[in-house]
Amino acid sequence: MRKLPLYIFTENLNFFFRLNKALKEKKIQFKVLNIGKRLPNTPSLILTTSKELNKLERVNNKAIILAYLDTQKFENYLLEVLSSHRVGYKEFYSSLTFSIDPGKKIGLMVFLDDYFLDSYCCFKEGALIRILEEFITYFNRKNENLWLNFKLGIGVISVTYNLVKLIFNNYKDRHFIRIFLVDEYKSSKIKIYNKRETKFSKDEIAALIISLREGIEVNLVNSESFFNQIKTKKLKLEKWKDFKFEKNNEYDLSLEIIAKRVLNGELSLKESIKIVNDNSSYLSKKKY
């Protein structure tokens, strides 16, 4: 179950202020539990410190308690909180998907087990690589066979080329990795707000739209050939002409609504891609 109610239970002011700031930055709602009160008798996430665990009076086994250790990196604890809240608490996760909109500013959308986890707008390639490494290092510790999926738009082909080279170089020893080149047609023309009216940058939204498209898979052996074919226009990626969406069953099939549902954790990438593919028309089909 995803999106469990979030509670903070602590008398540690330093921990509270850091956590409060981080959750507000991520636009995650939470409530504060007073010391001495019982835990809610419903499924929920309780954030506390390891030293305060003995102060929690449990009345049921429905609550998931995430305790922060003094020796733990606070950034890693935040990833545990974020993944537990947005994707659902698991002992280990199976895949990370990074959707990237390259350019002067680089949009990044991160998905964990096919559900939205976080987003960023990076001003330099180095900042992007550092963020990727933080996510990969943390989730790879619990699953050495973690799948890494990268989707990169080709609007600025030179930037995409450099990023693909960096990814292959940084993760050349990994067996569980897939990289896709994706058409960016109209990906930066859509403005989306989530249900709490949080504004995302146009670069992040472009990365989100890229995540909803399939693209062409490349590997270390054939990537140079694919880039050369794209530059010389001998290869054309699937280009999106328009979106012939209509209301169908429980879905309001507009791209904006689909994207909002992805951001709110109501739709997985797999579900969303199927909806988009089933209700879109193209300028041209993939040519290899």
Side-chain angles (χ1 to χ4, degrees):
M1 182 184 292
R2 297 185 306 279
K3 294 296 180 73
L4 293 176
L6 205 65
Y7 297 92
I8 298 178
F9 179 91
T10 187
E11 290 182 304
N12 185 322
L13 292 181
N14 181 55
F15 171 73
F16 175 80
F17 286 130
R18 294 179 74 184
L19 191 55
N20 176 60
K21 179 181 178 182
L23 294 177
K24 285 186 175 180
E25 286 177 352
K26 300 296 182 184
K27 300 296 186 292
I28 294 177
Q29 294 179 307
F30 62 89
K31 293 181 179 179
V32 177
L33 289 176
N34 294 324
I35 301 297
K37 287 198 172 183
R38 291 184 175 182
L39 301 186
N41 191 25
T42 56
S44 55
L45 288 173
I46 310 297
L47 312 184
T48 189
T49 64
S50 59
K51 294 180 180 179
E52 294 172 302
L53 280 174
N54 60 349
K55 296 181 182 179
L56 287 168
E57 184 179 349
R58 300 203 63 147
V59 294
N60 65 79
N61 293 318
K62 296 179 181 178
I64 298 171
I65 300 175
L66 303 180
Y68 172 67
L69 298 168
D70 288 341
T71 56
Q72 184 178 11
K73 282 183 62 176
F74 189 73
E75 292 75 14
N76 286 349
Y77 179 73
L78 286 179
L79 284 179
E80 183 179 19
V81 172
L82 198 63
S83 58
S84 298
H85 176 65
R86 287 183 171 167
V87 181
Y89 176 81
K90 297 180 182 180
E91 287 297 322
F92 65 89
Y93 300 88
S94 59
S95 69
L96 274 171
T97 299
F98 301 102
S99 185
I100 302 169
D101 174 49
K104 290 184 179 179
K105 291 188 290 184
I106 304 172
L108 171 65
M109 283 275 165
V110 184
F111 298 85
L112 181 65
D113 280 5
D114 229 24
Y115 284 94
F116 170 70
L117 181 64
D118 211 349
S119 68
Y120 299 86
C121 184
C122 306
F123 292 89
K124 293 183 179 180
E125 290 181 1
L128 172 69
I129 297 300
R130 283 193 295 272
I131 292 171
L132 297 181
E133 188 59 27
E134 287 174 4
F135 280 100
I136 293 168
T137 299
Y138 176 75
F139 290 105
N140 193 69
R141 289 189 313 169
K142 295 184 177 182
N143 180 12
E144 294 182 355
N145 295 326
L146 181 75
W147 268 101
L148 303 182
N149 304 305
F150 297 88
K151 289 187 169 185
L152 296 98
I154 59 165
V156 184
I157 195 67
S158 60
V159 178
T160 304
Y161 177 77
N162 289 335
L163 286 175
V164 169
K165 286 180 64 178
L166 278 171
I167 292 168
F168 278 134
N169 183 60
N170 288 351
Y171 307 110
K172 58 187 176 183
D173 296 326
R174 293 190 68 99
H175 298 291
F176 303 96
I177 183 170
R178 303 182 75 185
I179 298 178
F180 300 86
L181 303 181
V182 182
D183 173 61
E184 291 187 32
Y185 183 74
K186 288 188 176 181
S187 63
S188 61
K189 303 297 182 183
I190 299 171
K191 294 182 180 180
I192 298 172
Y193 299 84
N194 72 358
K195 61 185 177 183
R196 293 202 65 214
E197 299 302 310
T198 303
K199 188 174 181 180
F200 293 86
S201 70
K202 67 177 183 178
D203 306 283
E204 290 168 281
I205 295 304
L208 175 59
I209 301 306
I210 287 168
S211 74
L212 303 179
R213 300 174 180 175
E214 291 182 320
I216 293 177
E217 184 173 1
V218 298
N219 55 48
L220 187 58
V221 176
N222 66 22
S223 59
E224 288 287 345
S225 174
F226 272 112
F227 276 108
N228 288 334
Q229 290 180 64
I230 292 171
K231 289 176 184 177
T232 58
K233 298 183 179 180
K234 292 181 180 179
L235 178 142
K236 294 181 179 179
L237 297 187
E238 197 167 50
K239 289 187 175 297
W240 296 69
K241 183 178 181 181
D242 52 32
F243 305 96
K244 296 181 178 178
F245 291 130
E246 298 176 357
K247 287 189 177 181
N248 178 26
N249 298 326
E250 74 272 28
Y251 298 115
D252 178 358
L253 294 177
S254 70
L255 189 60
E256 291 82 358
I257 294 297
I258 291 171
K260 285 180 182 179
R261 291 188 174 189
V262 171
L263 292 174
N264 292 332
E266 298 168 23
L267 286 175
S268 68
L269 274 185
K270 183 178 180 179
E271 293 169 326
S272 305
I273 290 170
K274 185 179 187 306
I275 294 171
V276 171
N277 284 346
D278 290 347
N279 295 274
S280 300
S281 62
Y282 310 98
L283 284 173
S284 62
K285 293 293 183 181
K286 295 177 185 175
K287 296 181 180 179
Y288 297 93

